[in-house]
Amino acid sequence: MLACTKFVATAAITAVAVLGAAPAARAAWAPVKGRIMTPWAKDVSPTHAWVHYPRPQLRRPLWKNLNGLWRYSIVGKSAPKPRRYQGSILVPFPVQAALSGVAKPVMPRDAVWYHRTFVVPARWRGAHVLLHFGAVDWKSRVFINGHLVRRHKGGYDAFSCDITKYLAKGARQRLTVYAWDPVDKGEQPIGKQRLHPGGICYTACTGIWQTVWLEPVPRIYIKSLRIVPHVDQHAVDVTVHAAGGNVRVTVLRGKRAVGSASGKAGAAIRIAVPHARLWWPNRPFLYHLRISLRSHGATDRVVSYFGMRKISVGPGPHGTLRILLNNKFVFERGLLDQGYWPDGIYLAPTDKALKFDIQESKKLGFNMCRKHQVVEPARWYYWCDKLGYLVWQDMPAAFYPKKGPSPAAEKQYRYELRRMIRQHYNYPCIIGWTPFNESWGEYDVHKIVSIIHHIDPSRLIDNASGWNDKGLGNIRDTHHYPTPWCRRPGKNRASIDGEFGGLGLAVPGHMWTHKVFEYQGFKTPQAELARFTQLWREVWGMEKTPGVITKVPGAKKTPWWAKGRGMSGAVYTQTTDCEDEINGLMTYDRKVIKMPAKAVNRAVRGKFKH
């Protein structure tokens, strides 16, 4: 068995990764032309396709990256594995993406077959080998050397398999993956994907769309962690999920250990964190974790991190019910973030691109986003943790016939919902879950809210962002375009405006199509900025405590919204343009910020010129 005895820093992890195209797939690769591209597209190549370690909250020092050129074929969904493949595809970009080198639609009658070979490093001898997939949309089968090793259904969750017993000794290994996705012809969660996109719905994403990698572990290894910070108790609980063994957990502040404790796998281990530094959007301090699991004479070691962060609903200014961060009211200035890219569809071209959206949003004055109808790769949440960006996480919607979901569809929705929450539980940036957007695929809300609360009682639940509020969870959420609107807080629920704005401005040369969608259009950045500023005046008026009359500079009389409604947060539509939509603060290619950044920042933070 392999005992990982030394951890190397994040930058060094990338260095020990082994990245390379399969020998059978050395055909020339180039992005498919015809669409706008982001500035980072030029940094993508078969030897540089998502090279960072993909799972920041459970890191090991040894791994092998399987991204790069694979062979692929698009065939009938019931057809056998092809004997010959149609061409090369750059994994992990989805088939429809320009950066995949394919950019072809995939219909529900078709499936995608992928193939490559790899060699297990000699230094891994004696270890168990895990094969990891960040995400495959939607129904997949994984084969090693012709043996079926895993079936999976789910478009947004990571999954793994132990392939040790299927490996051929001293030989090049054959990896084959089957993927089928009915998109909007099925009842699975799809978010905004459509076979025929337009308006507020976008290009579908089929097959592998996140990193594929290998990792050596002992026979008994750390499968996952559950990290629960207790701000009021100055402590953190860490549970190591494994098939037995003894655990040692050390909390570090920088390089200095501040506490450690031991226990058994499967049991919560509490470590005191005295004089804790709290995690805030403007001061996102992260503690590091060093964890070891010893079982049957072998040791598995991983590193992770956490933030001392608490989210709750309670009395804010003047006793009004508010969303509280670490027991204090912090007004949430949010963006609706679709998570789409013109060259990568569901996947940003590079890690720098992923980080860019978050950095620019913060520079524009926002401290929160609503991650809308998509689940990002793990590194996106890592950057939110690192940079201090609050996240309301949507569950991607499924769409059902008028009679409602079938029993199988209900079961699948609940499965994918549970997987999303459990796999993202440890990120301090995520402060709330939104199972339903407006009325999309909404069913049995009481049961769904109960499931979420059972899995994660530490975060807030927005039972329905927009319409069909059932009075459940912690949040009253209203959508209103283009002006903001917010109902007053209830007895037990705070209030937010989950969507408003949608101001559109076309920027020629940076558009996906000339057929555009917007809620209110403008011809110049100056006109858009004037309206944008007015909308945020209204937001800050509704942030005031109910009953408090606020004088609005320049207004002859106090407008209705200035009486205040106790709003805890507002979400502006949206971060970037997205295909037909031109209502982003940035163009879809991320090359143009449409309005002066400093003026946007002042309006969003309520720093108006009088």
Side-chain angles (χ1 to χ4, degrees), residues 39 173 327 372 426 444 531 551 574 606:
Q173 315 297 327
N327 301 318
H372 191 40
N426 296 329
D444 206 347
R531 182 59 167 150
K551 182 174 176 58
Q574 58 191 1

Side-chain angles (χ1 to χ4, degrees), residues 200-512:
I200 64 169
C201 295
Y202 320 127
T203 301
C205 166
T206 298
I208 299 171
W209 69 274
Q210 288 189 36
T211 292
V212 185
W213 83 101
L214 300 171
E215 200 167 39
V217 295
R219 183 171 64 86
I220 304 297
Y221 63 94
I222 297 169
K223 295 182 178 179
S224 64
L225 306 172
R226 185 177 176 93
I227 306 168
V228 185
H230 298 287
V231 168
D232 298 329
Q233 289 78 36
H234 309 284
V236 62
D237 287 348
V238 179
T239 304
V240 174
H241 297 292
N246 298 311
V247 176
R248 181 74 175 174
V249 180
T250 301
V251 175
L252 299 100
R253 181 170 172 170
K255 295 182 179 180
R256 182 175 63 88
V258 298
S260 61
S262 299
K264 296 290 185 181
I269 300 170
R270 176 159 294 194
I271 305 101
V273 187
H275 312 292
R277 289 185 61 178
L278 302 184
W279 186 94
W280 300 93
N282 59 337
R283 296 188 303 277
F285 183 80
L286 297 173
Y287 286 89
H288 298 282
L289 287 171
R290 194 163 56 212
I291 302 167
S292 64
L293 170 73
R294 187 158 183 82
S295 178
H296 296 86
T299 302
D300 186 20
R301 289 186 171 91
V302 302
V303 296
S304 188
Y305 69 86
F306 70 95
M308 290 295 288
R309 191 271 297 130
K310 174 186 177 183
I311 194 73
S312 60
V313 168
H318 307 287
T320 306
L321 205 66
R322 305 279 192 165
I323 298 175
L324 305 180
L325 179 64
N326 300 328
N327 301 318
K328 293 183 180 180
F329 173 51
V330 176
F331 187 68
E332 296 180 17
R333 312 180 301 270
L335 278 171
L336 195 71
D337 194 323
Q338 309 284 1
Y340 267 75
W341 298 80
D343 38 21
I345 308 299
Y346 257 15
L347 184 64
T350 67
D351 191 60
K352 286 184 179 179
L354 205 65
K355 181 181 178 182
F356 174 84
D357 274 8
I358 303 163
Q359 286 179 313
E360 291 304 303
S361 297
K362 293 212 68 179
K363 288 179 183 178
L364 292 172
F366 297 90
N367 62 8
M368 177 267 279
C369 83
R370 180 176 164 215
K371 181 49 67 172
H372 191 40
Q373 294 299 299
V374 72
V375 181
E376 291 280 4
R379 289 194 64 84
W380 184 85
Y381 300 94
Y382 163 75
W383 284 120
C384 290
D385 291 343
K386 187 82 171 173
L387 300 173
Y389 200 42
L390 300 168
V391 177
W392 282 88
Q393 178 63 54
D394 278 17
M395 172 63 188
F399 295 86
Y400 307 120
K402 289 184 179 180
K403 62 182 180 180
S406 65
E410 285 190 40
K411 183 178 180 181
Q412 183 63 30
Y413 179 91
R414 293 195 297 269
Y415 171 79
E416 294 196 42
L417 175 69
R418 290 186 178 102
R419 298 274 290 183
M420 179 188 75
I421 296 172
R422 286 170 177 152
Q423 291 186 2
H424 295 83
Y425 182 90
N426 296 329
Y427 295 105
C429 64
I430 299 178
I431 59 170
W433 306 107
T434 303
F436 298 110
N437 177 69
E438 297 176 349
S439 59
W440 298 1
E442 188 178 86
Y443 79 96
D444 206 347
V445 181
H446 286 78
K447 180 184 290 185
I448 298 302
V449 169
S450 177
I451 288 171
I452 297 172
H453 183 73
H454 177 74
I455 299 172
D456 185 4
S458 72
R459 288 183 175 86
L460 306 184
I461 301 173
D462 182 354
N463 81 116
S465 187
W467 315 331
N468 292 2
D469 179 27
K470 298 295 191 284
L472 303 170
N474 315 97
I475 303 298
R476 303 181 74 181
D477 185 342
T478 309
H479 292 183
H480 197 269
Y481 285 98
T483 56
W485 168 255
C486 185
R487 291 174 292 175
R488 296 193 179 192
K491 292 182 179 180
N492 302 305
R493 298 193 301 158
S495 288
I496 64 171
D497 183 338
E499 291 183 29
F500 79 99
L503 308 183
L505 178 67
V507 183
H510 301 275
M511 297 167 64
W512 179 263

Side-chain angles (χ1 to χ4, degrees), residues 70-71 85 89 91 95 112-115 175-177 179 206-208:
W70 295 40
R71 301 294 286 170
Y85 289 88
I89 183 170
V91 169
V95 179
V112 185
W113 284 89
Y114 297 82
H115 180 76
L175 169 58
T176 308
V177 178
T206 298
I208 299 171

Side-chain angles (χ1 to χ4, degrees), residues 12 34 148 156 174 288 297 323 337 509 531 565 589 610:
L148 176 63
Y156 303 95
R174 293 177 289 114
H288 298 282
I323 298 175
D337 194 323
R531 182 59 167 150
R565 292 184 173 269
D589 58 11
H610 300 309

